Amino acid sequence: MSRAALTELVLLRHAEARPAAPGQSDDARALSAVGMDEARRAGAWLQAHAGVPERVLCSPALRTRQTLAQIMAGAGDWPQPVFEPRIYEATLGTLRQLLQEHAQVGRLWLIGHNPGLQQLSDFMAGRALAHGLPTAGIVLFRSTAVGALDADPA
C-alpha cells in the first residue's frame, strides 16, 4: 500500500562546521565541537517532537553526514539514509523538485544547507523565518502545510 501524500516534513540544517583548512574543499568540512553538541541536541528535540522518518535525504557533504550520524545515534529503527548530491548547493527549485519526487513518503526528513533550506522553509510557510535558519536549525511541517510544494513561488 502506498501513501497518498507527504504528511510530515523535517528540514534540518547541518550543525556548526569548522572553517575549511587550506586546500580543503567546502564539502569536506567537519563539524566543530559546538556542532557535535548542536547535532545531539537537535536529535533529542526531534525524538520528542517528530515521528520516525520513513525516508531521510541528506547532502553528501561531511558536515551533514556527521549531523545525521549524531541524530541517529540515539534513535531506534531508521531507514537507510539517501545521500543525495543535488542537496549540496541546492536552489529552492531543486529542493522543491526533490520533495515532489518523494511526495509519496509519509514522513520525510531533508538534511542540507543554507540558503536553500531557508528559502524552502520560507516558501512553504509563506513567510520568512524571524531569525533565519541557524546551524542545526529545524523546521517541522505537518499535514496540509506540505501541500505548499504544489504552489508556485511569488
Side-chain angles (χ1 to χ4, degrees):
M1 173 188 269
S2 63
R3 284 217 185 240
L6 184 60
T7 58
E8 183 174 279
L9 172 64
V10 170
L11 303 178
L12 171 62
R13 183 178 174 201
H14 64 80
E16 182 186 273
R18 296 182 195 138
Q24 181 183 35
S25 65
D26 181 67
D27 64 342
R29 291 172 47 215
L31 292 183
S32 66
V34 168
M36 294 294 260
D37 185 56
E38 286 178 340
R40 283 190 287 275
R41 286 185 284 127
W45 189 92
L46 286 164
Q47 286 182 16
H49 295 92
V52 175
E54 293 173 29
R55 184 166 302 147
V56 177
L57 301 177
C58 183
S59 163
L62 179 58
R63 60 190 176 273
T64 51
R65 289 184 287 124
Q66 288 179 324
T67 299
L68 177 59
Q70 290 300 311
I71 289 168
M72 290 178 69
D77 188 26
W78 275 39
Q80 186 68 25
V82 176
F83 295 104
E84 172 55 67
R86 292 180 289 170
I87 297 171
Y88 185 73
E89 296 184 344
T91 64
L92 171 60
T94 300
L95 293 175
R96 286 181 63 211
Q97 180 181 349
L98 275 170
L99 294 183
Q100 288 170 346
E101 290 171 12
H102 297 274
Q104 80 287 358
V105 176
R107 288 190 178 112
L108 179 66
W109 289 21
L110 192 149
I111 302 162
H113 312 268
N114 271 352
L117 280 185
Q118 182 168 341
Q119 292 168 350
L120 179 60
S121 174
D122 293 350
F123 171 75
M124 290 182 65
R127 63 182 175 81
L129 295 171
H131 301 287
L133 187 59
T135 55
I138 301 165
V139 182
L140 173 61
F141 290 99
R142 288 202 172 106
S143 297
T144 58
V146 296
L149 289 172
D150 297 327
D152 287 324

